[in-house]
Amino acid sequence: MALNRQEAKEFLERVLVIPSTLSDAVPVHGKDRVAFLDVIIKTFQERIPFQTVSICTTPLRERHLPTWPEIKRDMFLRIGGICYTIHVFMKELLSALDFNVSYIGARSVSTDDHIAIVAVDVSYPGSKHLVEVGCGYPTFRAIPLDFEAESPEYRSGFLLHKFVRRNDKILWFHEYMPRANPMLITDTSRIFGDWYMLLEMRVTIPRELSSFAQTLTSLYTEPNKFLESPRIVIFESGQLLALAGNTKYTAGADKGPIIKTPIGDKDDIIAFYDKYFPQMRRSEIDGAARLSSSTLS
């Protein structure tokens, strides 16, 4: 499982539309290296959707943890996926571009139900940055993890967020926006005033990919609430565009309200995918429309 450097450059240039020559011009450490990583992260979130459509429209008996050839194919086709597909590819992409990256474990609902990435030695030897492009929320940058107790607040499009260190874990907090967010897990025990705790991560313990296999295979192959209905999220030009079930969510590139718009019927859902996500497979679009329209009252 790997990308070679030529494949990585091809992905930058053809899929992300980033000049591949940038990868040869940046130093090993420092501000320019961080800036290059930020460009990859932001452009990735603008071009590659986080989506459950591919899994939801696959019959349960046929679902499986994606193989590397499947992951590589779907990333080059801009089909995207959930955290496993997206972050496995992102790690191989960054490795091929000479970043020192490793997997870390994270918990959303249960232990290791999210896989994340840490890049080491980017700004200086020993520095650590979180690379998070696989959860359906915008970050648009590498997050420095050298803060003591709490990070600065970050504004990433519609999302205000911050990170808090708690013993050997780092917690990711989002501004609490009840009923406005297509990905929000409505667990009231995670609400702390104006903040909602989305993830907890163990950033000090590098992990092998194989250590996630059992948990994430279960996520793909067993019925669960996360995969009850199709959803797809992208941030073109920094703006939120999402469809969760039969509801469209949009927000501007700056601070502003999330606008929810019901989609009328199956034909309207198909038209939405054809307009905004034409790279999705026809069987997946038709399946998503069928599943999403079944929620219409």
Side-chain angles (χ1 to χ4, degrees):
M1 179 188 298
L3 283 181
N4 60 45
R5 191 171 181 85
Q6 185 55 43
E7 289 173 321
K9 287 186 172 185
E10 179 187 355
F11 185 81
L12 289 184
E13 199 154 84
R14 181 164 65 84
V15 181
L16 299 188
V17 198
I18 297 172
S20 63
T21 51
L22 283 179
S23 64
D24 299 319
V26 295
V28 176
H29 311 293
K31 292 182 179 180
D32 289 346
R33 188 73 166 168
V34 175
F36 178 47
L37 181 56
D38 288 347
V39 168
I40 294 173
I41 291 170
K42 187 172 190 297
T43 309
F44 194 99
Q45 293 194 295
E46 292 176 334
R47 300 278 295 167
I48 308 293
F50 175 91
Q51 54 92 2
T52 65
V53 175
S54 297
I55 310 173
C56 287
T57 58
T58 299
L60 188 62
R61 66 183 179 277
E62 298 177 16
R63 295 180 188 177
H64 61 276
L65 199 64
T67 64
W68 171 244
E70 290 169 336
I71 291 170
K72 183 178 174 182
R73 175 200 65 199
D74 283 358
M75 293 299 104
F76 272 88
L77 291 174
R78 294 181 48 234
I79 286 175
I82 64 172
C83 67
Y84 183 84
T85 297
I86 289 175
H87 279 157
V88 166
F89 185 85
M90 177 60 85
K91 181 180 180 294
E92 296 306 321
L93 174 67
L94 295 179
S95 295
L97 297 171
D98 298 325
F99 285 93
N100 181 4
V101 286
S102 61
Y103 296 116
I104 59 167
R107 181 182 188 275
S108 174
V109 176
S110 58
T111 301
D112 287 348
D113 61 357
H114 183 68
I115 183 171
I117 303 171
V118 166
V120 182
D121 306 328
V122 181
S123 55
Y124 57 85
S127 68
K128 290 184 178 181
H129 288 75
L130 177 69
V131 177
E132 176 55 71
V133 294
C135 70
Y137 287 106
T139 55
F140 298 159
R141 59 172 294 167
I143 306 296
L145 298 177
D146 57 357
F147 57 87
E148 292 186 7
E150 187 170 311
S151 76
E153 294 179 3
Y154 296 101
R155 169 63 63 183
S156 302
F158 75 90
L159 181 66
L160 183 68
H161 57 115
K162 66 178 180 179
F163 297 81
V164 175
R165 190 178 301 278
R166 187 170 296 171
N167 299 321
D168 64 338
K169 299 175 183 177
I170 287 182
L171 312 183
W172 190 13
F173 284 89
H174 291 191
E175 182 183 21
Y176 181 52
M177 296 176 288
R179 297 182 302 278
N181 199 312
M183 305 301 297
L184 192 63
I185 302 168
T186 53
D187 180 353
T188 56
S189 69
R190 295 177 176 226
I191 300 171
F192 300 87
D194 295 330
W195 297 94
Y196 181 89
M197 196 273 285
L198 182 78
L199 287 176
E200 59 179 43
M201 299 167 277
R202 291 183 179 271
V203 301
T204 59
I205 306 174
R207 298 277 297 277
E208 295 295 328
L209 182 60
S210 59
S211 68
F212 296 94
Q214 182 175 351
T215 302
L216 292 180
T217 295
S218 297
L219 179 64
Y220 276 83
T221 61
E222 297 177 7
N224 60 78
K225 191 172 183 179
F226 179 63
L227 298 177
E228 282 183 352
S229 65
R231 66 189 75 185
I232 190 165
V233 185
I234 204 163
F235 302 95
E236 188 171 356
S237 301
Q239 301 179 78
L240 167 68
L241 174 65
L243 186 66
N246 61 308
T247 302
K248 180 172 73 171
Y249 297 78
T250 56
D254 299 317
K255 180 180 179 181
I258 295 177
I259 299 170
K260 298 169 62 176
T261 308
I263 300 290
D265 57 22
K266 183 178 177 180
D267 289 341
D268 292 331
I269 294 170
I270 290 174
F272 174 91
Y273 279 98
D274 284 342
K275 180 177 181 179
Y276 296 111
F277 300 98
Q279 72 271 32
M280 300 299 293
R281 300 176 184 91
R282 175 51 51 186
S283 61
E284 294 174 343
I285 292 175
D286 292 343
R290 183 179 64 255
L291 292 170
S292 298
S293 62
S294 69
T295 64
L296 292 168
S297 56

